[in-house]
Amino acid sequence: MNMLKQKMTWLGVAIVLVALVVFGAAMMGSVLGSKPKELPVALVVLDRPAGLPNGETLAVGEKIRDQMLSNRALPFAWHVVDSEEKAREGLDKREYYGALVLPSDLSSGMLSLATSSPIHPKVKIIVNEGMNTQASTVVRQVLGQAMNMISGELAQQLLGPIGQQTVQIPVETAKAFIAPVSVQEEVVHPPGANQASGNAPGLLIQIMWIGSLVTGVVMFLASRKAVAAGSGKWTVSALQAIAGLVIAGVASGFTLWMASSWYGMELANAGEIWLFLWLAGSAFFFLQSSLLNWIGFPAMPLLVLLMFFSLPLLNMVPEFLSQATRDWIYSWTPLRFAAGGLREAMYFGGLDAASSNASVLWGIAGGFLVLLLASGFKAGRAADAVPTSATDG
């Protein structure tokens, strides 16, 4: 019972609860309950209205467009474009998670269902799998279900007039009305083989963050020993930065070699992926090392918390997250810029596609490199006591 009377026991319980709350918020709070909303999707209406025998026109494409745009249950933010080429250009630029293309013969094809030679118009669903596999799955499933429902409604509307004209419907006509519209799916920018269902960029960035953190701690300890042995403080900081830069390059190359050779990850442009991963690892190292040099080991909890709050978001779709998570974590964490840029480099054509995120990482690397080098002056004033105490001993 004496254990229960000890303040340390109750302090330990309080610490455990605080840790559970913090890490629970980091690992679960930002992702649990997430749901798709306002996913940008392109809508292309190429349909030309067809004339009816009574002089009216049938505009199926316009009807589908109106239904899609007015359906608030769909988790999409529609972007109406006037050509399939513009939609594909937006997919290449990571503007859309998918596209719905209504063909030019949609209305005429629907009218042909009542003839002896029915034509099944082909509606095209294009999913941008490289942007995010989870989002592309939502686009594929929701658009497929919506088109099946709409085609069924259109078939019912056309069956009414046909039933009034004749009691018996030809077999070919009946078969045509079972599936009046053909839905054709196409995937653009697909991840290669063994890419963890498109989550490989996030996994590689996680590995680089941990590898850079280990490198930062080792270099921090080595720099302290070098200063204690009498080396110049600013020189040690400069050598610390150079060594970290070299190690980051080797580590990024080894990580890609390991992923490719050991686990069969397909890398279409391995050289450019390596350069971007090197940039990300260097930015991480400079950030981590500058904090360690200025604050010391108390910086480790900050870096660990940053990692745990960031990792669940690396492969998440921003539109799935709550507004608070997007504003307070996703908008600034350096790991998501690294993961987003690596995704662009891997699935959208290399370094040119990743230029925006690469610029952010260059800014992070440059800013924290300056802080790392500046810590040499601060360390020089604080570290003088180390060799003195060693001599007294």
Side-chain angles (χ1 to χ4, degrees):
M1 296 297 293
N2 289 333
M3 282 288 294
L4 300 178
K5 298 180 180 179
Q6 299 297 319
K7 293 182 179 180
M8 185 58 67
T9 301
W10 298 106
L11 180 61
V13 173
I15 293 174
V16 169
L17 292 177
V18 171
L20 291 176
V21 170
V22 172
F23 286 98
M27 302 301 295
M28 298 185 295
S30 58
V31 295
L32 292 185
S34 61
K35 58 182 180 179
K37 51 187 180 295
E38 296 186 352
L39 296 174
V41 175
L43 176 60
V44 183
V45 182
L46 304 176
D47 180 47
R48 293 192 294 265
L52 295 172
N54 59 7
E56 298 180 358
T57 58
L58 177 66
V60 176
E62 184 177 344
K63 290 184 178 180
I64 294 178
R65 181 191 62 190
D66 293 341
Q67 290 189 38
M68 290 292 186
L69 296 180
S70 62
N71 191 345
R72 301 300 179 185
L74 297 179
F76 302 139
W78 292 103
H79 296 260
V80 180
V81 295
D82 55 12
S83 69
E84 184 176 342
E85 290 73 19
K86 290 184 179 180
R88 291 184 178 277
E89 183 178 341
L91 293 170
D92 293 338
K93 293 180 178 180
R94 286 85 62 199
E95 295 175 355
Y96 313 128
Y97 288 102
L100 176 64
V101 182
L102 305 179
S104 59
D105 62 346
L106 184 56
S107 294
S108 59
M110 292 296 295
L111 285 180
S112 72
L113 297 180
T115 67
S116 58
S117 302
I119 300 173
H120 292 272
K122 293 183 179 180
V123 173
K124 190 178 297 183
I125 296 176
I126 308 174
V127 293
N128 199 356
E129 205 166 77
M131 281 188 70
N132 187 278
T133 304
Q134 187 179 12
S136 65
T137 301
V138 171
V139 171
R140 179 188 293 110
Q141 293 178 348
V142 174
L143 286 183
Q145 294 172 0
M147 284 307 308
N148 288 334
M149 292 180 59
I150 291 174
S151 63
E153 293 175 0
L154 291 172
Q156 290 294 328
Q157 293 175 8
L158 290 176
L159 273 174
I162 296 176
Q164 294 175 0
Q165 296 175 7
T166 177
V167 177
Q168 294 181 343
I169 299 177
V171 175
E172 292 299 324
T173 301
K175 289 181 180 179
F177 274 96
I178 294 176
V181 176
S182 298
V183 177
Q184 178 183 352
E185 294 183 0
E186 180 184 348
V187 176
V188 296
H189 303 290
N194 298 322
Q195 294 271 352
S197 300
N199 294 325
L203 294 177
L204 292 173
I205 290 303
Q206 293 178 35
I207 294 171
M208 285 305 300
W209 174 270
I210 295 172
S212 299
L213 184 58
V214 173
T215 304
V217 172
V218 171
M219 291 294 101
F220 173 64
L221 294 175
S223 66
R224 290 177 62 177
K225 289 186 177 181
V227 171
S231 299
K233 287 75 178 179
W234 190 89
T235 302
V236 170
S237 296
L239 292 176
Q240 183 182 358
I242 295 172
L245 187 63
V246 173
I247 294 174
V250 175
S252 58
F254 178 80
T255 300
L256 290 180
W257 174 82
M258 178 176 63
S260 178
S261 300
W262 294 7
Y263 306 111
M265 183 182 294
E266 183 180 351
L267 300 172
N269 46 352
E272 294 189 354
I273 295 173
W274 167 63
L275 289 175
F276 187 90
L277 202 59
W278 187 0
L279 171 60
S282 301
F284 293 162
F285 173 80
F286 293 146
L287 184 156
Q288 296 158 350
S289 296
S290 62
L291 292 180
L292 286 170
N293 278 19
W294 280 96
I295 304 175
F297 278 110
M300 285 299 295
L302 298 176
L303 296 173
V304 171
L305 284 175
L306 174 59
M307 179 180 69
F308 276 101
F309 272 95
S310 301
L311 294 188
L313 306 179
L314 297 187
N315 292 313
M316 287 291 295
V317 185
E319 288 80 8
F320 280 34
L321 302 174
S322 66
Q323 193 62 44
T325 301
R326 293 179 66 175
D327 293 341
W328 291 94
I329 303 176
Y330 185 83
S331 62
W332 60 266
T333 174
L335 281 83
R336 78 95 168 170
F337 292 104
L342 186 59
R343 178 177 295 277
E344 293 165 342
M346 293 178 70
Y347 304 146
F348 289 90
L351 293 178
D352 290 339
S355 59
S356 177
N357 285 308
S359 298
V360 175
L361 291 179
W362 276 112
I364 294 172
F368 282 101
L369 174 60
V370 172
L371 288 177
L372 176 59
L373 296 176
S375 69
F377 300 102
K378 180 259 182 184
R381 295 190 297 271
D384 291 338
V386 175
T388 304
S389 60
T391 305
D392 292 342

Short mmCIF file of all heavy atoms in Angstrom, two decimals, residues 65-89:
data_model
loop_
_atom_site.label_atom_id
_atom_site.label_comp_id
_atom_site.label_asym_id
_atom_site.label_seq_id
_atom_site.Cartn_x
_atom_site.Cartn_y
_atom_site.Cartn_z
N ARG A 65 -25.54 16.15 -66.75
CA ARG A 65 -24.77 17.23 -66.14
C ARG A 65 -25.58 17.91 -65.03
O ARG A 65 -25.06 18.15 -63.93
CB ARG A 65 -24.39 18.26 -67.20
CG ARG A 65 -23.55 19.42 -66.65
CD ARG A 65 -23.42 20.52 -67.67
NE ARG A 65 -24.74 21.08 -67.99
CZ ARG A 65 -24.96 21.94 -68.99
NH1 ARG A 65 -23.96 22.32 -69.76
NH2 ARG A 65 -26.18 22.40 -69.21
N ASP A 66 -26.84 18.20 -65.29
CA ASP A 66 -27.67 18.85 -64.28
C ASP A 66 -27.84 17.97 -63.04
O ASP A 66 -27.81 18.47 -61.91
CB ASP A 66 -29.04 19.20 -64.87
CG ASP A 66 -28.96 20.27 -65.95
OD1 ASP A 66 -27.93 20.97 -65.98
OD2 ASP A 66 -29.90 20.37 -66.76
N GLN A 67 -28.01 16.67 -63.26
CA GLN A 67 -28.17 15.77 -62.12
C GLN A 67 -26.89 15.68 -61.30
O GLN A 67 -26.93 15.67 -60.07
CB GLN A 67 -28.59 14.38 -62.60
CG GLN A 67 -30.00 14.31 -63.15
CD GLN A 67 -30.43 12.89 -63.41
OE1 GLN A 67 -30.11 11.98 -62.67
NE2 GLN A 67 -31.18 12.69 -64.50
N MET A 68 -25.77 15.61 -61.97
CA MET A 68 -24.49 15.52 -61.26
C MET A 68 -24.22 16.79 -60.47
O MET A 68 -23.81 16.73 -59.30
CB MET A 68 -23.35 15.27 -62.26
CG MET A 68 -23.36 13.88 -62.89
SD MET A 68 -22.98 12.59 -61.69
CE MET A 68 -22.88 11.16 -62.77
N LEU A 69 -24.41 17.94 -61.09
CA LEU A 69 -24.10 19.20 -60.42
C LEU A 69 -25.05 19.50 -59.27
O LEU A 69 -24.66 20.17 -58.29
CB LEU A 69 -24.14 20.35 -61.43
CG LEU A 69 -23.10 20.30 -62.56
CD1 LEU A 69 -23.26 21.51 -63.48
CD2 LEU A 69 -21.69 20.24 -62.01
N SER A 70 -26.28 19.01 -59.36
CA SER A 70 -27.26 19.31 -58.31
C SER A 70 -27.30 18.29 -57.20
O SER A 70 -27.95 18.51 -56.17
CB SER A 70 -28.66 19.42 -58.94
OG SER A 70 -29.04 18.20 -59.53
N ASN A 71 -26.62 17.17 -57.38
CA ASN A 71 -26.64 16.10 -56.37
C ASN A 71 -25.64 16.42 -55.26
O ASN A 71 -24.43 16.21 -55.42
CB ASN A 71 -26.31 14.76 -57.02
CG ASN A 71 -26.56 13.59 -56.09
OD1 ASN A 71 -26.73 13.76 -54.86
ND2 ASN A 71 -26.60 12.39 -56.65
N ARG A 72 -26.14 16.91 -54.13
CA ARG A 72 -25.26 17.29 -53.02
C ARG A 72 -24.69 16.10 -52.29
O ARG A 72 -23.76 16.24 -51.47
CB ARG A 72 -26.04 18.17 -52.03
CG ARG A 72 -26.60 19.46 -52.65
CD ARG A 72 -25.50 20.31 -53.21
NE ARG A 72 -26.01 21.53 -53.82
CZ ARG A 72 -25.26 22.41 -54.47
NH1 ARG A 72 -23.96 22.19 -54.60
NH2 ARG A 72 -25.79 23.49 -55.01
N ALA A 73 -25.24 14.91 -52.54
CA ALA A 73 -24.74 13.71 -51.86
C ALA A 73 -23.41 13.25 -52.45
O ALA A 73 -22.67 12.50 -51.79
CB ALA A 73 -25.77 12.58 -51.95
N LEU A 74 -23.09 13.66 -53.65
CA LEU A 74 -21.82 13.27 -54.27
C LEU A 74 -20.68 14.06 -53.64
O LEU A 74 -20.76 15.28 -53.52
CB LEU A 74 -21.86 13.52 -55.78
CG LEU A 74 -22.90 12.72 -56.57
CD1 LEU A 74 -22.83 13.09 -58.05
CD2 LEU A 74 -22.67 11.23 -56.39
N PRO A 75 -19.59 13.40 -53.27
CA PRO A 75 -18.48 14.09 -52.58
C PRO A 75 -17.52 14.78 -53.54
O PRO A 75 -16.30 14.68 -53.38
CB PRO A 75 -17.79 12.94 -51.83
CG PRO A 75 -17.98 11.76 -52.74
CD PRO A 75 -19.33 11.94 -53.38
N PHE A 76 -18.07 15.47 -54.53
CA PHE A 76 -17.23 16.05 -55.57
C PHE A 76 -17.41 17.56 -55.67
O PHE A 76 -18.49 18.10 -55.40
CB PHE A 76 -17.55 15.42 -56.94
CG PHE A 76 -17.38 13.93 -56.99
CD1 PHE A 76 -18.29 13.13 -57.66
CD2 PHE A 76 -16.32 13.32 -56.36
CE1 PHE A 76 -18.15 11.76 -57.71
CE2 PHE A 76 -16.15 11.95 -56.40
CZ PHE A 76 -17.07 11.17 -57.07
N ALA A 77 -16.34 18.22 -56.08
CA ALA A 77 -16.39 19.61 -56.50
C ALA A 77 -16.19 19.60 -58.01
O ALA A 77 -15.06 19.42 -58.50
CB ALA A 77 -15.31 20.43 -55.80
N TRP A 78 -17.26 19.76 -58.75
CA TRP A 78 -17.22 19.58 -60.20
C TRP A 78 -16.54 20.76 -60.89
O TRP A 78 -16.74 21.92 -60.51
CB TRP A 78 -18.63 19.42 -60.75
CG TRP A 78 -19.31 18.15 -60.35
CD1 TRP A 78 -20.26 17.98 -59.40
CD2 TRP A 78 -19.06 16.85 -60.90
NE1 TRP A 78 -20.64 16.67 -59.32
CE2 TRP A 78 -19.92 15.94 -60.24
CE3 TRP A 78 -18.21 16.36 -61.90
CZ2 TRP A 78 -19.94 14.59 -60.53
CZ3 TRP A 78 -18.23 15.01 -62.20
CH2 TRP A 78 -19.09 14.14 -61.53
N HIS A 79 -15.77 20.43 -61.92
CA HIS A 79 -15.14 21.44 -62.77
C HIS A 79 -15.53 21.10 -64.21
O HIS A 79 -15.02 20.13 -64.79
CB HIS A 79 -13.62 21.44 -62.61
CG HIS A 79 -13.15 21.81 -61.25
ND1 HIS A 79 -12.67 23.07 -60.93
CD2 HIS A 79 -13.08 21.09 -60.10
CE1 HIS A 79 -12.34 23.11 -59.65
NE2 HIS A 79 -12.57 21.92 -59.12
N VAL A 80 -16.46 21.87 -64.78
CA VAL A 80 -16.94 21.61 -66.13
C VAL A 80 -15.94 22.16 -67.14
O VAL A 80 -15.63 23.36 -67.13
CB VAL A 80 -18.33 22.24 -66.34
CG1 VAL A 80 -18.82 21.95 -67.75
CG2 VAL A 80 -19.32 21.71 -65.31
N VAL A 81 -15.42 21.28 -67.98
CA VAL A 81 -14.48 21.69 -69.04
C VAL A 81 -15.07 21.28 -70.38
O VAL A 81 -15.92 20.38 -70.46
CB VAL A 81 -13.08 21.05 -68.83
CG1 VAL A 81 -12.44 21.56 -67.57
CG2 VAL A 81 -13.18 19.53 -68.78
N ASP A 82 -14.61 21.92 -71.44
CA ASP A 82 -15.27 21.75 -72.73
C ASP A 82 -14.61 20.73 -73.65
O ASP A 82 -15.03 20.58 -74.81
CB ASP A 82 -15.37 23.09 -73.46
CG ASP A 82 -14.02 23.78 -73.61
OD1 ASP A 82 -12.99 23.12 -73.35
OD2 ASP A 82 -13.99 24.97 -73.96
N SER A 83 -13.56 20.05 -73.19
CA SER A 83 -12.93 19.03 -74.03
C SER A 83 -12.22 18.00 -73.17
O SER A 83 -11.81 18.29 -72.03
CB SER A 83 -11.92 19.66 -75.01
OG SER A 83 -10.80 20.16 -74.31
N GLU A 84 -12.11 16.81 -73.71
CA GLU A 84 -11.39 15.75 -73.00
C GLU A 84 -9.92 16.08 -72.87
O GLU A 84 -9.27 15.72 -71.88
CB GLU A 84 -11.59 14.42 -73.73
CG GLU A 84 -10.96 13.23 -73.01
CD GLU A 84 -11.25 11.90 -73.69
OE1 GLU A 84 -12.20 11.84 -74.51
OE2 GLU A 84 -10.52 10.93 -73.42
N GLU A 85 -9.37 16.77 -73.86
CA GLU A 85 -7.95 17.14 -73.80
C GLU A 85 -7.66 18.05 -72.61
O GLU A 85 -6.66 17.87 -71.90
CB GLU A 85 -7.53 17.84 -75.10
CG GLU A 85 -7.47 16.93 -76.32
CD GLU A 85 -8.85 16.55 -76.84
OE1 GLU A 85 -9.83 17.25 -76.49
OE2 GLU A 85 -8.95 15.55 -77.59
N LYS A 86 -8.54 19.01 -72.35
CA LYS A 86 -8.35 19.91 -71.21
C LYS A 86 -8.49 19.14 -69.89
O LYS A 86 -7.78 19.43 -68.92
CB LYS A 86 -9.34 21.06 -71.26
CG LYS A 86 -9.08 22.06 -72.37
CD LYS A 86 -10.05 23.23 -72.30
CE LYS A 86 -9.76 24.25 -73.39
NZ LYS A 86 -10.69 25.41 -73.34
N ALA A 87 -9.39 18.18 -69.87
CA ALA A 87 -9.54 17.37 -68.66
C ALA A 87 -8.28 16.56 -68.40
O ALA A 87 -7.81 16.48 -67.26
CB ALA A 87 -10.75 16.45 -68.80
N ARG A 88 -7.72 15.99 -69.45
CA ARG A 88 -6.49 15.20 -69.28
C ARG A 88 -5.32 16.10 -68.88
O ARG A 88 -4.45 15.68 -68.11
CB ARG A 88 -6.18 14.45 -70.57
CG ARG A 88 -7.16 13.32 -70.87
CD ARG A 88 -6.77 12.54 -72.11
NE ARG A 88 -7.70 11.45 -72.35
CZ ARG A 88 -7.64 10.25 -71.77
NH1 ARG A 88 -6.66 9.99 -70.92
NH2 ARG A 88 -8.53 9.32 -72.05
N GLU A 89 -5.31 17.30 -69.40
CA GLU A 89 -4.26 18.25 -69.01
C GLU A 89 -4.37 18.57 -67.52
O GLU A 89 -3.36 18.65 -66.81
CB GLU A 89 -4.38 19.52 -69.84
CG GLU A 89 -3.29 20.55 -69.56
CD GLU A 89 -3.43 21.77 -70.44
OE1 GLU A 89 -4.11 21.69 -71.48
OE2 GLU A 89 -2.86 22.83 -70.08
#
